[in-house]
């Protein structure tokens, strides 16, 4: 109910991830906190949303390329499995990009945005097939009912291609174009 408390809590948790990941990530509370962040990733309050998305992004990236990857990735995977295998997070991020959240949350000058959270998800999920399945499921969820199959297919194919090429500029362009096209379709349906 109070977005300022959400912002403060997840800002503190994000700092803890950066400063003392070996104390926070293996802690049993980490899974519950990650699950709360997945559920809260659709909050419209800009500062609270930024803090939530930044925490999610950094939690996922700990399992990708932080120096304690081998030690911490299993705990991150466990937290994701407690959060419906991460599908709820992917659904919320994609729905936000597709128009369910304000465009101000789409990008950030540094991090803590929908685009950066999606990038962290793409880096964390190691298999293209698993990522495609998660994206397809998200694009067929109620938050993306306005996205047609042509746009869905275009988005998934181009996102996977940009991921394989490790082309961050193209990744960002695809997310932006998808968001624009999806928001146009959403506005037409309203």
């Amino acid at each position: 109910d109070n977005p300022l408390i959400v912002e403060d809590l997840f800002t503190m948790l994000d700092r803890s991830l950066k400063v003392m990941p070996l104390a926070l990530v293996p802690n049993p509370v980490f899974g519950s906190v990650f699950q709360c962040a997945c559920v809260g990733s659709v909050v419209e309050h800009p500062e609270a949303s930024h803090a939530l998305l930044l925490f999610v992004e950094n939690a996922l990236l700990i399992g990708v390329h932080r120096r304690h990857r081998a030690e911490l990735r299993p705990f991150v995977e466990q937290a994701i499995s407690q959060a419906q295998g991460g599908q709820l997070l992917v659904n919320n991020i994609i729905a936000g990009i597709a128009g369910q959240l304000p465009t101000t949350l789409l990008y950030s000058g540094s991090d803590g945005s929908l685009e950066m959270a999606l990038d962290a998800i793409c880096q964390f999920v190691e298999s293209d097939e698993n990522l495609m399945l998660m994206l397809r499921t998200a694009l067929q969820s109620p938050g993306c009912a306005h996205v047609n199959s042509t746009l869905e297919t275009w988005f998934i194919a181009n996102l996977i291609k940009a991921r394989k090429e490790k082309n961050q500029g193209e990744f960002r362009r695809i997310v932006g174009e998808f968001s624009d096209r999806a928001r146009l379709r959403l506005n037409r349906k309203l």
Side-chain angles (χ1 to χ4, degrees):
D1 283 343
N2 190 334
L4 296 177
I5 292 173
V6 171
E7 176 189 7
D8 290 345
L9 173 65
F10 282 95
T11 298
M12 179 196 67
L13 289 166
D14 184 60
R15 285 188 188 133
S16 298
L17 277 176
K18 292 173 184 170
V19 175
M20 49 186 201
L22 292 173
L24 178 61
V25 177
N27 191 303
V29 78
F30 178 74
S32 299
V33 168
F34 188 83
Q35 190 170 10
C36 288
C38 292
V39 171
S41 60
V42 292
V43 68
E44 290 189 32
H45 187 274
E47 289 82 11
S49 182
H50 175 77
L52 281 160
L53 292 169
L54 186 58
F55 170 77
V56 165
E57 176 188 339
N58 285 320
L60 292 172
L61 292 178
I62 275 179
V64 175
H65 55 72
R66 304 283 177 169
R67 70 175 187 242
H68 302 293
R69 179 190 191 279
E71 295 168 80
L72 298 179
R73 185 174 175 99
F75 295 105
V76 177
E77 288 173 344
Q78 183 180 7
I80 289 170
S81 71
Q82 291 174 357
Q84 300 174 354
Q87 191 62 57
L88 175 62
L89 174 64
V90 177
N91 290 0
N92 288 345
I93 298 297
I94 296 296
I97 292 169
Q100 299 301 320
L101 290 173
T103 55
T104 55
L105 298 175
L106 189 57
Y107 299 113
S108 168
S110 54
D111 43 23
S113 66
L114 293 167
E115 181 248 342
M116 294 301 288
L118 180 59
D119 181 52
I121 291 166
C122 289
Q123 289 183 55
F124 188 85
V125 178
E126 294 174 333
S127 151
D128 286 345
E129 293 77 26
N130 287 345
L131 180 59
M132 287 187 335
L133 178 62
M134 292 180 91
L135 292 171
R136 186 164 286 113
T137 301
L139 288 161
Q140 294 171 358
S141 70
C144 291
H146 59 286
V147 176
N148 66 15
S149 61
T150 304
L151 183 54
E152 173 187 322
T153 302
W154 174 87
F155 180 59
I156 292 172
N158 284 289
L159 202 67
I160 297 294
K161 182 179 179 216
R163 166 188 147 119
K164 284 181 180 178
E165 295 171 353
K166 297 184 180 181
N167 186 336
Q168 193 61 39
E170 183 65 4
F171 181 91
R172 184 170 231 211
R173 187 195 68 75
I174 289 161
V175 170
E177 186 174 335
F178 168 75
S179 182
D180 291 344
R181 291 168 66 184
R183 287 170 192 274
L184 278 173
R185 292 187 58 77
L186 179 63
N187 291 334
R188 287 184 192 143
K189 288 196 172 203
L190 296 177

